[in-house]
Amino acid sequence: PDRVVLPSVTNKPGKDPRTITFHPVPVVKGRLNFLNTDIDNGKATYELLRDTINNFALPKFHVRTPMTLLRKLIEQNIISKARARLSLQPIQRSDAHLLDSLISTLVHNSLRFKYPPSPDILNLPIPFNGLGFSSIEPARHEQRSVTAAITGPATAVFSISGRAASILHGEVFAQIAAFTVAHRDRDSRLYSDHLLTTTLLERYTSRPDFEHRIRRMNARSYYRWLFALAEQHRDEGLHSQYTPGHSAAVDLPAALNGFADHYATHAQRHRDDLPAAPTPSFAMDDYTFWTAQDGWVEASMRDFYSHHRARQQGRSLASGRGGRMAAILYAGPRPEYPYTRAYASYSAAVQLYARSGQLPTARTLSQRNRSIVCMSPMCRHGCVAVEDDYHVFVACPRYAVFRLESAAELARRIRRRVLPALTDAQSAGIIAASETFYNDGDLWPTTHAMYFLGLTPKLAGLIPRAAFTSNTSYRMCVSACEVDWHYAAIRLAGRIWGDFQSEAAKRHGGL
Ligand SMILES: [Zn+2]
């Protein structure tokens, strides 16, 4: 019905409040609200989360809001709410990506830098040289293997290889296995909790119709194989029938389904010993994507690659951007503390913008300047050099004292760390390198110093392995030194940028 009639009372003066009147109330169809979340309405959830982010008022500080505090506030007030909503009603990936950009804008507005940072770098985990903010867009799935199980007169469990394999492949392959072993001339039942597969087999008996239905579906080669087998069973033989999974019913289908689930789950622990399910390359499209890591990919490439966004992103961030994010070439260990806990986290904020390539140096300002007034890209401290990040942090003599002080402190720290284990001669290399950690040199993969991006060269070559009794103690010493370098690097970058900005502000104020 379009309307239902509901009883109502009134408190208007002059009317008897005991009189019950009836009003027709329009019915909203196709909408289900559960725990305050519109079910099956991703747009509504997206809009709700968007408004939550846009209306989120950060507490006002007379100093810049520390980034570590921002992280906590956003985690507690936005991400946790979003997670709860999204567990009830997922939204489209593109919408989730937009929400992540909004959060990035929120962070940007509180940090008060000139150009916005890259949301990708804000969300990239700290070990990948990102800032490790939680993102709304889900990361790619953990690598796991898929198992398929059938049970009945006999039981078999198979593993399905390739990272592109999903639960779906497992479900369809289990049916393939059953149709393969079942007698073609004996009437029998196959119970499956995979509704789509059983429905497809019930509904389609002609091969062209079936082909038309599945031609763009993920796992279509498995469906084709299954259909060919099911054709052999059409008259007598095996017929598949849907039975709800994880049901509380105590009947044969539910019991068999429970057993098959049990085998499939428990076989995960022995997945290396399981027989591998054959790949139905004979039923694939003429051209099918394949990669060494993923195996055959029949899903739409767009969906597939959005699933693997983080991996792809790490790679694309690494290759472009003037090598700013080529983290793989540099030392691995990165401390979390300055990004997640430290009270004064200006250094972390500078890292976010430096790694995003968004620090307003004269070069960047002049490139983006759209006014008629010509803006020089040269160093504003009078050097005959373009004022880019590299010049400011590595070359400009204005910050020479900062660099020397910072390097002396790092060298002291490194000396304290290595001297119990190393002799003076053995420690000379690492200590000398620490005294000039901000400088270009062969230690750096590109010979250019990249310390201001939170990158540290690998230090193992500077510390003699022979001085240690075990690989473990050696590696611990090397990573401890690399972490010391990381701290020194981001602190120095923060200190230089703080001075740079206050100078720029003074100039701007006409002083
Ligand atoms: Zn300069």
Side-chain angles (χ1 to χ4, degrees), residues 108-119:
H108 174 59
N109 290 340
S110 332
L111 291 175
R112 295 183 229 161
F113 277 61
K114 187 175 174 69
Y115 296 120
S118 150

Side-chain angles (χ1 to χ4, degrees), residues 429-452:
I430 178 76
I431 288 172
S434 305
E435 280 164 348
T436 55
F437 80 97
Y438 52 82
N439 247 347
D440 292 348
D442 290 340
L443 194 56
W444 292 94
T446 62
T447 75
H448 290 290
M450 293 285 180
Y451 79 87
F452 54 95

Side-chain angles (χ1 to χ4, degrees), residues 379-387 391-392 395-399:
C379 175
R380 285 170 277 182
H381 295 294
C383 308
V384 189
V386 168
E387 185 190 282
H391 175 76
V392 172
C396 189
R398 182 183 166 86
Y399 303 109

